[in-house]
């Protein structure tokens, strides 16, 4: 990934957009073919609209001061309304023959009208730069379908008062709710804590898989690799590192796995909390897993910002036997 060539990546993505536009165009042609055969009047209307457009464009060139454009538009609006009526009466969506775009914001170009890069393009870049395809192998094995509640003990845990299995059942429900309400701005951020080997990373993978399948832009990093991204952006600046860094703030979901004491050097700790804090302020969701308890976290990251940040997280405790032995 270090020697990834951004130019060729842009070219590749541009080709993907081209292909997308081509497929959508072809799909629209297919739709027209079917509808025209079924309702010839619609073909006549489309031909009329085309004719009016051409004629008015011609007249505008010959006589720029004429009101031909206005009159033409009125005519077209009327015809379009009639066409939509016909479509609706035949059981189609009114917009069935409109130009098809997979992304309405940028019309499948990757660039919005105001010249800014579209979020679908950022999403695409992010998937590549964070190498989501590498993650997908893990996610094939670790997801809700392969999750086995049966490996958790039914025995009541003395200190916790419930069994690890009951606890995990609750965690499953909360994780499901997190996924189902992901697009709603409800301040739901998750903090998974507890010793190693309790299924925290597995549960994080379940969430990542489910949301990636829904086309959510997920950036998954361990605290360690997150620090690398921050350092790269500071000490090895280039466009790739800049995009990756921006994604930490802009991704729909940021997952920080394995946040621990090792990240206490002040540059990285401040960096991580800056990212999480900005995401909270922007209503972007974050999931953190850590081996530290909330108490240890507050002790380790003492300043006011961090304690305020953690208050915005829903703490979920993992406990029980070490599952790695099972
Ligand atoms: Zn777009």
């Amino acid at each position: 990934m270090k020697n990834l060539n951004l130019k060729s990546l842009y070219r590749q993505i541009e080709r993907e957009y081209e292909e997308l536009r081509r497929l959508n165009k072809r799909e629209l042609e297919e739709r027209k073919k079917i509808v025209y055969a079924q309702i010839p009047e619609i073909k006549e209307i489309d031909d009329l609209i085309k004719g009016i457009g051409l004629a008015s464009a011609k007249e505008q060139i010959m006589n720029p001061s004429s009101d031909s454009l206005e009159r033409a538009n009125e005519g077209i609006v009327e015809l379009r309304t009639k066409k939509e009526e016909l479509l609706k009466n035949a059981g189609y969506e009114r917009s069935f023959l409109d130009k098809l775009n997979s992304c309405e914001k940028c019309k499948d170009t990757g660039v919005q009208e105001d010249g800014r890069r579209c979020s679908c393009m950022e999403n695409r870049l992010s998937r590549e730069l964070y190498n989501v395809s590498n993650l997908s192998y893990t996610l094939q094995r670790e997801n809700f379908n392969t999750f086995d509640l049966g490996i958790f003990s039914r025995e009541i845990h003395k200190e916790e008062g419930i069994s690890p299995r009951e606890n995990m059942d609750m965690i499953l429900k909360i994780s499901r709710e997190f996924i189902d309400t992901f697009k709603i701005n409800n301040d739901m951020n998750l903090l998974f804590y507890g010793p190693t080997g309790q299924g925290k990373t597995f549960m994080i993978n379940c969430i990542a898989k489910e949301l990636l399948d829904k086309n959510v832009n997920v950036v998954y990093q361990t605290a360690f690799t997150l620090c690398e991204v921050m350092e790269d952006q500071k000490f090895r600046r280039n466009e790739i590192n800049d995009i990756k860094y921006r994604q930490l703030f802009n991704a729909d979901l940021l997952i920080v796995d394995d946040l621990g004491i090792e990240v206490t050097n002040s540059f990285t700790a401040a960096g991580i909390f800056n990212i999480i804090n900005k995401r909270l302020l922007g209503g972007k969701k974050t999931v953190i897993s850590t081996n530290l308890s909330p108490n240890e976290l507050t002790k380790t990251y003492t300043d006011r910002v961090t304690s305020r940040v953690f208050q915005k997280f829903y703490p979920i405790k993992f406990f029980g036997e070490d599952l790695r032995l099972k």
Side-chain angles (χ1 to χ4, degrees):
M1 192 48 47
K2 284 254 167 3
N3 45 30
L4 179 137
N5 180 333
L6 200 57
K7 256 192 200 137
S8 70
L9 177 57
Y10 278 135
R11 267 200 300 275
Q12 183 196 328
I13 294 177
E14 184 48 47
R15 276 196 299 272
E16 288 170 14
Y17 278 118
E18 259 168 43
E19 177 67 3
L20 199 57
R21 294 195 295 266
R22 196 182 63 79
L23 288 174
N24 280 331
K25 205 171 156 192
R26 203 172 68 186
E27 165 71 15
L28 181 61
E29 293 306 321
E30 289 297 314
R31 288 183 179 190
K32 278 183 182 166
K33 228 186 262 171
I34 296 166
V35 172
Y36 286 173
Q38 192 187 346
I39 318 165
E41 210 184 337
I42 289 187
K43 163 111 175 69
E44 285 164 28
I45 291 176
D46 273 352
D47 289 344
L48 275 175
I49 291 176
K50 226 181 272 171
I52 293 175
L54 278 176
S56 93
K58 216 188 255 174
E59 184 161 352
Q60 274 293 306
I61 295 168
M62 308 292 281
N63 182 7
S65 61
S66 90
D67 63 347
S68 64
L69 208 63
E70 223 166 281
R71 274 183 290 120
N73 281 339
E74 277 170 31
I76 289 173
V77 168
E78 209 170 294
L79 286 167
R80 282 196 65 100
T81 314
K82 192 161 175 215
K83 173 177 157 183
E84 286 173 10
E85 268 317 293
L86 287 167
L87 280 170
K88 193 184 145 232
N89 291 341
Y92 293 104
E93 292 277 335
R94 285 172 188 273
S95 58
F96 190 66
L97 294 184
D98 289 356
K99 193 166 180 269
L100 285 169
N101 296 307
S102 300
C103 175
E104 285 302 332
K105 280 194 286 185
C106 67
K107 314 273 183 253
D108 303 335
T109 60
V111 183
Q112 288 175 302
E113 253 175 52
D114 60 9
R116 279 184 308 156
R117 191 184 280 157
C118 187
S119 56
C120 70
M121 168 81 122
E122 283 274 308
N123 194 344
R124 178 68 188 76
L125 281 169
S126 172
R127 277 180 182 238
E128 199 68 37
L129 299 181
Y130 278 110
N131 220 349
V132 171
S133 48
N134 277 0
L135 185 65
S136 68
Y137 177 67
T138 312
L139 299 186
Q140 271 167 27
R141 287 175 297 135
E142 303 195 349
N143 58 62
F144 282 121
N145 290 328
T146 62
F147 187 88
D148 181 9
L149 202 53
I151 63 171
F152 297 92
S153 160
R154 286 173 182 277
E155 212 169 300
I156 305 262
H157 191 281
K158 270 188 218 129
E159 284 145 46
E160 304 295 339
I162 56 170
S163 70
R165 182 152 172 177
E166 273 174 284
N167 186 46
M168 194 47 71
D169 195 32
M170 197 179 66
I171 293 172
L172 266 174
K173 288 198 179 94
I174 295 169
S175 300
R176 283 277 184 205
E177 191 193 334
F178 179 79
I179 292 161
D180 292 341
T181 62
F182 186 78
K183 299 252 158 107
I184 300 168
N185 193 351
N186 58 359
D187 273 341
M188 195 175 183
N189 298 285
L190 305 179
L191 176 68
F192 290 166
Y193 71 98
T196 309
Q198 307 292 325
K200 296 193 299 293
T201 298
F202 198 110
M203 190 53 73
I204 273 181
N205 285 337
C206 293
I207 292 174
K209 166 93 167 59
E210 208 82 355
L211 289 173
L212 280 169
D213 286 350
K214 289 184 178 178
N215 240 336
V216 168
N217 183 6
V218 178
V219 169
Y220 183 121
Q221 295 287 284
T222 63
F224 182 75
T225 54
L226 186 73
C227 292
E228 283 185 336
V229 175
M230 292 194 299
E231 279 165 19
D232 282 348
Q233 196 268 345
K234 198 171 166 70
F235 303 116
R236 284 171 287 278
R237 280 201 86 148
N238 61 39
E239 200 179 347
I240 291 177
N241 291 337
D242 281 351
I243 294 173
K244 287 181 78 172
Y245 183 70
R246 272 206 308 276
Q247 276 297 308
L248 299 176
F249 297 88
N250 295 338
D252 301 322
L253 174 63
L254 173 68
I255 294 174
V256 184
D257 198 9
D258 221 2
L259 182 67
I261 325 183
E262 69 278 8
V263 202
T264 47
N265 115 37
S266 60
F267 161 68
T268 49
I272 289 184
F273 285 95
N274 176 38
I275 292 165
I276 297 173
N277 194 36
K278 290 237 168 80
R279 292 182 61 83
L280 285 171
L281 294 173
K284 300 256 182 191
K285 297 185 177 178
T286 308
V287 174
I288 297 174
S289 90
T290 178
N291 299 333
L292 303 173
S293 70
N295 260 343
E296 286 170 312
L297 274 175
T298 345
K299 249 185 253 163
T300 313
Y301 302 101
T302 42
D303 75 73
R304 264 176 296 140
V305 177
T306 56
S307 51
R308 199 174 52 78
V309 162
F310 282 127
Q311 279 167 18
K312 303 273 184 173
F313 278 77
Y314 193 115
I316 297 166
K317 186 171 187 180
F318 286 65
F319 59 84
E321 295 166 66
D322 191 335
L323 297 169
R324 290 169 303 176
L325 307 173
K326 292 211 170 183

